[in-house]
Each structure stands twice: as C-alpha cells, then as structure tokens.
C-alpha cells in the first residue's frame, strides 16, 4: 500500500514575510534574532547555542531555526526524507501565499517560492506532491484567477526527455492571513476545483499558525459580504483585550490581531460555501479542514479536561465538534491531524473517531513539518503515531493503512493525481 504525509511545508525564511518573527516575539528579540541569523553560519551558530541550553525548549527552537534558515527548499525536503524509514512514502508540500500578512513581503516573493519548489519537484517527481497556495489578494481575481490557476495545473513539468508530470495536485488556503473562504474573488476557482475534483486543504487550527498583523485590514475585513449566503457576515467583532505583560513587551496589539483572525478560520465560516457546492452547484467541493481544530479542541471534544480559555468565533463552540458536525452533512469534507499529532494524548480519541463510520474514510495523517519541530523531532512524531496506528485494527487493515494510505489517496484523487504521478 502507498502511504502519505498529507501536510508538510518546505518553505524557508526567505519565503516568509521579512517581519515574520515580529508577529510572535517582542521587537527587540525579533530584531536580535534577525541580525544574528541573517547568514547561514549565524543561524547555525545560534541553533547550536540554543541546543546547549538546559531543558527541551532551546533544543526544539534550535531544530526549527536550523530548518527554517536552510539554504533552500531542497535542503528542507531532503531533511524531511531523512527522518522517515519508508523509502516510498509520499509527501504533500503546501506552498503558502504570505505576502499580505501585515509583516512585509518575503525575500523571494510568492512566484520565487513556487519556482524553487517546482525545481525540487523535478528532482523528486514521485515523492513530492505540491499544493498551490491560493489567496484572493494574489495577482488576479474571478475568472482571471481561475484561468491562471488552471494554467499552472495544466502546464506539465518536464522531468527528462521522455517524461513530464503535472506540477500541482491540490490547492492550499490559509484564511487567517486575512480573508474568508467565501470571498467572491475565489468563487470561480473553487468551482473549477470542484468540477475537476481537485482537493483543497485549508488551515483550521484554533489560535494556531500564521495570522494577519495589519489592524486596519482586519477592522475593515472581518465584516465581509458572503455571496453564497447573499448577506453580510456581520457577527465578527475585532477583539480589544488588554494584557499587562503583553503591553510591557509591546505584543498586545499583535495578540488582538491574532485572536481576531479566528473568525477567518472558524469552521462555521465554511458553511455557506459547503452548502452552495452540495445543494446548488450539485458537485461537492473536496475540502480538508486541517488540524481537526487543534489538539486542545480534539481533547476537549472527547471529554478530556483542559484549561479552556474564552472561545473566539461566531459560534463560540469547540472547533473539533464544529468540524465533526459539518462532516456529517458534507460527504466530501475531510480533516487531518497535523500538528495536533505531536500531542500523543490525541491518538486515542482520533482512533475512536476512526471507528465511527461517519468519519472512517475522511481522517488523514499529516504532521505539519517543519512547524512541529518546535514541539518534537519529525522522526519521533512520525514513528510514535505510526506505531500506535499500526496497533489499531481498522477494517481489513490498520489505522495506519486507513489514515496514511487509503484516506489520503482518496482525498488526492483527480486527473492531476489518479493514484500515481502522470
């Protein structure tokens, strides 16, 4: 059986916004790290120093820094390959449009990120499956955006004199960077995806990941017209919390921006789009709400005690539970357990859900490399979950067969990936 990791990243800091670290750290700290790591030797030196600190936090960040400051995406992908003992496993690499995060442009630009990633694809045509980042603020909108995306997909990549392959197999959305999936500028592209059974994977991790740090953009965009529901999405409210220490360190505004971006990600915001494709377009959109809402929401949805904070979002309801409710209505809706998988406590509830016929075919394995290097080495993350999954029976095989094999391949199926690279 063919196995997959449906959720990984191979971008480097050259592909991320120039002020990326400032979104998560006080300016003084971010500036110091940027200065120390603006060369490859400097980044490696800081990573080495961090790895020598007592405890695990320094070692985890050192690993993350070492990978993120790699020379190029080829280095990152080859680092990923080395951590797996399966020489045939395939990896979905999710490219990301990060040029409109309120943190400046990237060094490479999105076009540069894609160009370099396709060079990696040329070297690993069978093991690397690329999703094209999609954002309504990209170079075009409406029909022009759809035609541009279709052109990217249909222009085959030359591998050698006798072989060419489709360069992309799916689309990647990251709404917390400042948009809703129901943005009208995406509608024709999503219709094209549904017509061609192209899988779409969207970030959906509660308070986790990249967000938009432009306060003015958020205040003008949170209430947005939903063409599918034909009304304003007017319930979101920009959050204005005040935290003493965040004010002292200058991160209070960034924190308010981050939590306000929850509205873009909340599973409830996908309802009108899913409803349109099932009941009006008559062909369901093949969509994966990644991360299953996040590890804490997975645990809470299954009765585990957690330190639950205020729930942000329109419904103010557990995100894992929201995803499950949507999956019961929409048969082409999937979820993956990426990033959450590092928390071994989620393995058991995920396996319980796998036994539910409503979810058996639509729970996917992924890790979210290299983002998870902050938590656990990829090798350990993969091996621990695989060991636990191999011990769980599912149908005629194991939970590993189901989640890393059958389900992912079913999700990926289209003319651009009919189970093998063509």
């Amino acid at each position: 059986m063919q196995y997959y990791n449906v959720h990984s990243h191979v971008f480097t800091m050259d592909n991320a916004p120039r002020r990326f670290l400032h979104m998560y750290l006080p300016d003084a700290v971010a500036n110091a790290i940027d200065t120390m790591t603006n060369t490859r030797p400097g980044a490696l030196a800081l990573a080495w120093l961090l790895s020598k600190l007592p405890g695990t936090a320094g070692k985890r960040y050192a690993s993350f820094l070492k990978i993120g400051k790699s020379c190029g995406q080829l280095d990152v992908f080859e680092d990923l390959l080395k951590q797996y003992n399966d020489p045939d496993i395939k990896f979905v690499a999710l490219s990301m449009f990060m040029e409109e995060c309120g943190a400046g442009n990237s060094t490479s630009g999105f076009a540069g990120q894609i160009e370099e990633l396709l060079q990696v694809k040329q070297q690993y045509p069978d093991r690397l499956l690329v999703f094209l980042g999609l954002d309504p603020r990209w170079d075009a909108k409406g029909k022009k955006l759809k035609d541009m995306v279709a052109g990217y997909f249909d222009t085959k990549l030359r591998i050698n004199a006798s072989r060419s392959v489709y360069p992309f197999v799916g689309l990647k959305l990251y709404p917390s960077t400042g948009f809703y999936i129901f943005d009208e500028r995406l509608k024709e592209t999503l219709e094209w995806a549904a017509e061609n059974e192209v899988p779409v994977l969207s970030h959906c991790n509660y308070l986790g990941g990249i967000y938009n740090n432009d306060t003015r953009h958020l205040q003008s965009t949170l209430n947005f017209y939903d063409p599918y529901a034909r009304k304003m999405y007017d319930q979101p409210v920009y959050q204005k919390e005040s935290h003493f220490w965040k004010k002292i360190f200058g991160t209070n505004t960034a924190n308010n921006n981050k939590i306000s971006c929850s509205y873009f990600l909340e599973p409830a915001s996908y309802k009108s789009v899913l409803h349109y494709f099932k009941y009006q377009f008559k062909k369901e959109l093949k969509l994966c709400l990644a991360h299953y809402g996040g590890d804490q929401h997975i645990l809470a949805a299954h009765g585990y005690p957690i330190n639950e904070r205020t729930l942000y979002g329109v419904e103010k309801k557990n995100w894992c539970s929201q995803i499950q409710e949507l999956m019961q209505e929409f048969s082409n809706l999937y979820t993956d357990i990426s990033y959450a998988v590092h928390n071994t406590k989620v393995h058991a509830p995920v396996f319980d859900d796998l036994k539910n016929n409503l979810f058996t075919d639509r729970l996917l394995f992924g890790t979210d490399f290299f983002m998870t290097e902050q938590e656990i080495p990829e090798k350990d993350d993969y091996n621990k979950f695989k060991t636990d999954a191999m011990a769980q029976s599912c149908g005629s095989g194991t939970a590993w067969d189901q989640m890393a094999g059958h389900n992912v391949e079913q999700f990926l199926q289209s003319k651009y990936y009919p189970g093998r690279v063509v």
Side-chain angles (χ1 to χ4, degrees), residues 318-378:
N318 181 283
W319 284 23
C320 178
S321 297
Q322 287 190 49
I323 291 172
Q324 289 178 330
E325 289 174 7
L326 290 172
M327 289 176 73
Q328 291 178 55
E329 181 175 0
F330 303 103
S331 61
N332 244 14
L333 183 62
Y334 293 72
T335 189
D336 73 37
I337 59 167
S338 60
Y339 207 96
V341 70
H342 86 270
N343 184 345
T344 56
K345 291 180 181 177
V346 309
H347 295 184
V350 164
F351 297 143
D352 285 342
D353 287 344
L354 198 64
K355 296 172 185 175
N356 185 331
N357 290 336
L358 291 170
F359 309 131
T360 302
D361 291 333
R362 291 178 288 149
L363 292 173
L364 313 178
F365 168 72
T367 60
D368 205 11
F369 177 86
F370 62 96
M371 309 308 291
T372 41
E373 289 292 313
Q374 302 167 85
E375 308 286 352
I376 184 175
E378 179 75 5

Side-chain angles (χ1 to χ4, degrees), residues 2 7-8 24 36 49 109 128 132-133 160 230 282 292 296 318 367 370 376:
Q2 178 63 58
H7 197 131
S8 69
Y24 304 96
M36 295 176 68
L49 288 172
L128 179 63
L132 177 66
N160 54 44
R230 298 181 181 178
K282 301 299 184 181
Y292 212 2
Q296 294 304 298
N318 181 283
T367 60
F370 62 96
I376 184 175

Side-chain angles (χ1 to χ4, degrees), residues 234-283:
D234 58 5
Q235 291 175 278
V237 178
Y238 180 78
Q239 301 298 304
K240 296 181 179 179
E241 297 185 355
S242 180
H243 299 276
F244 177 77
W245 286 112
K246 286 183 171 61
K247 282 190 170 183
I248 292 296
F249 289 108
T251 59
N252 198 74
T253 298
N255 183 66
N256 284 334
N257 290 340
K258 179 180 179 179
I259 60 180
S260 296
C261 285
S262 296
Y263 290 109
F264 296 123
L265 288 180
E266 185 182 16
S269 71
Y270 293 81
K271 283 183 180 179
S272 64
V273 173
L274 291 167
H275 191 275
Y276 166 78
F277 278 99
K278 180 173 182 176
Y279 299 108
Q280 291 178 253
F281 195 72
K282 301 299 184 181
K283 190 155 189 178

Side-chain angles (χ1 to χ4, degrees), residues 155-256:
T155 303
K156 286 195 171 184
L157 185 68
R158 185 180 175 87
I159 304 303
N160 54 44
S162 60
R163 188 184 183 201
S164 296
V165 302
Y166 286 118
F168 301 100
V169 302
L171 293 169
K172 164 66 173 175
L173 298 173
Y174 213 111
S176 57
T177 60
F179 66 92
Y180 291 104
I181 190 174
F182 57 70
D183 192 306
E184 190 163 20
R185 292 171 290 183
L186 296 175
K187 189 169 185 283
E188 291 185 61
T189 304
L190 294 179
E191 289 175 343
W192 169 85
E195 287 173 345
N196 291 278
E197 299 183 333
V198 172
V200 180
L201 189 147
S202 184
H203 184 75
C204 193
N205 189 353
Y206 184 73
L207 290 184
I210 301 170
Y211 64 98
N212 189 296
N213 203 25
D214 183 340
T215 305
R216 287 185 180 179
H217 173 79
L218 297 181
Q219 291 176 332
S220 66
T221 309
L222 282 175
N223 298 135
F224 207 73
Y225 183 71
D226 180 350
Y228 299 91
R230 298 181 181 178
K231 64 180 181 179
M232 288 295 292
Y233 196 62
D234 58 5
Q235 291 175 278
V237 178
Y238 180 78
Q239 301 298 304
K240 296 181 179 179
E241 297 185 355
S242 180
H243 299 276
F244 177 77
W245 286 112
K246 286 183 171 61
K247 282 190 170 183
I248 292 296
F249 289 108
T251 59
N252 198 74
T253 298
N255 183 66
N256 284 334

Side-chain angles (χ1 to χ4, degrees), residues 66-135:
K66 183 179 178 181
I67 296 169
K69 289 286 184 175
S70 294
C71 293
Q73 294 181 75
L74 176 62
D75 301 296
V76 179
F77 184 63
E78 290 184 337
D79 185 278
L80 174 60
L81 291 177
K82 291 174 184 175
Q83 300 195 54
Y84 283 70
N85 58 14
D86 179 350
D88 299 313
I89 192 169
K90 301 186 184 212
F91 300 89
V92 170
L94 305 166
S95 63
M96 289 173 52
F97 181 87
M98 296 180 279
E99 307 302 309
E100 299 286 346
C101 294
N105 295 324
S106 66
T107 300
S108 69
F110 184 57
Q113 178 192 157
I114 294 300
E115 181 180 357
E116 183 186 2
L117 184 53
L118 292 184
Q119 290 171 2
V120 182
K121 171 75 172 176
Q122 285 179 310
Q123 294 196 44
Y124 293 95
D126 298 305
R127 298 194 66 188
L128 179 63
L129 306 175
V130 182
F131 272 43
L132 177 66
L134 180 66
D135 191 293

